[in-house]
Amino acid sequence: MSNHPVGAIACALLAALFFAVAAVAQQRAAAAVPEGASLVRALLRNPRWWAGIVGDIGGYAMQVAALALGAVLLVQPILVSALVFALPLAARLNHRSISARTWATALALTAALVSFLLAGNPSEGNTTAPLRDWLIPLIILVALIGAATVIGIGSADPGRRALLLGAASGSLYGLAAALTSYVTSLFEHGISEVLGSWQTWALIAAGITGVYLQQRAFQAGPLAASLPAVTIAEPLAAAFIGITVLDERLRTNTFGLALTALAVIIMCATTIRLSRAQATT
């Protein structure tokens, strides 16, 4: 990996901007679909939603470039700024204002997530863990995702629905992130190894389901009601799989562990506050 921090920062900021624009475009497209109508069919016919997909592709390309130029712990915290980019953009397009309290909550969430990523500083783990090591953690994670999805879909409160579906979507993205490294390494052994691995199909299933649930979350309410949940659930789910399955360890001291725990509490509290405040505006 090259060490070009300025280039890495520039690419990471561009990635965050692309992700923010993509989220805003997809949320506006999904929110325009009435409850009860076919969400997938409507989105596939919407040019704005496809523009969001293009934004996601651009964001991922810039993220890959950033990681090629700098360390993960430099790039990932910067990507969190997508949330800060997305909120004012969504407010402007929807002719809404953002209150000082909402700004303070969003910035507190961003700071807590950056602290979580920096303080935790996990070591690299064993990406080739056998299926038996995956079973119990995977069952726990899938059960939590299923519960959040069922409760979210059945909720009459738009804020709660957006929050829970966003959390389920982000958790699936976190699972996909945990699987990506291993699946990518299989390509050097040939396409048959890729297609013959259960991780490949789990990755595809997690990605597709995550995208669908994210659109359902976007449909339920304003961007600030769902995007924060997606943003925090992804690293938390990835960290859960990393620690329980991939034998990753947090390279920090007692103070760092306390800071990490405090960051998680703040992340959850601010996300819930944002979803409640924005769903009623």
Side-chain angles (χ1 to χ4, degrees), residues 159-185:
R160 182 180 299 171
R161 186 160 65 250
L163 173 69
L164 291 173
L165 292 177
S169 171
S171 297
L172 286 165
Y173 290 151
L175 173 60
L179 291 165
T180 296
S181 179
Y182 176 72
V183 173
T184 302
S185 69

Side-chain angles (χ1 to χ4, degrees), residues 146-222:
T149 301
V150 171
I151 297 172
I153 291 176
S155 176
D157 180 1
R160 182 180 299 171
R161 186 160 65 250
L163 173 69
L164 291 173
L165 292 177
S169 171
S171 297
L172 286 165
Y173 290 151
L175 173 60
L179 291 165
T180 296
S181 179
Y182 176 72
V183 173
T184 302
S185 69
L186 292 177
F187 279 93
E188 65 185 48
H189 302 293
I191 192 65
S192 61
E193 288 288 331
V194 176
L195 296 178
S197 169
W198 70 266
Q199 287 95 332
T200 300
W201 301 106
L203 171 60
I204 293 172
I208 293 174
T209 309
V211 169
Y212 173 73
L213 291 179
Q214 185 178 41
Q215 307 315 306
R216 289 293 301 265
F218 285 163
Q219 182 186 28

Side-chain angles (χ1 to χ4, degrees), residues 43-109:
L43 292 179
L44 291 177
R45 294 176 176 176
N46 192 318
R48 180 179 291 153
W49 185 79
W50 283 108
I53 294 297
V54 172
D56 275 336
I57 294 173
Y60 287 127
M62 288 295 100
Q63 182 179 2
V64 169
L67 290 172
L69 295 172
V72 172
L73 286 178
L74 173 65
V75 173
Q76 292 303 118
I78 295 174
L79 293 179
V80 176
S81 63
L83 179 64
V84 180
F85 287 138
L87 293 184
L89 180 58
R92 182 174 181 83
L93 291 176
N94 290 305
H95 307 290
R96 295 179 177 179
S97 60
I98 300 179
S99 68
R101 176 176 293 183
T102 299
W103 267 120
T105 304
L107 291 174
L109 170 60

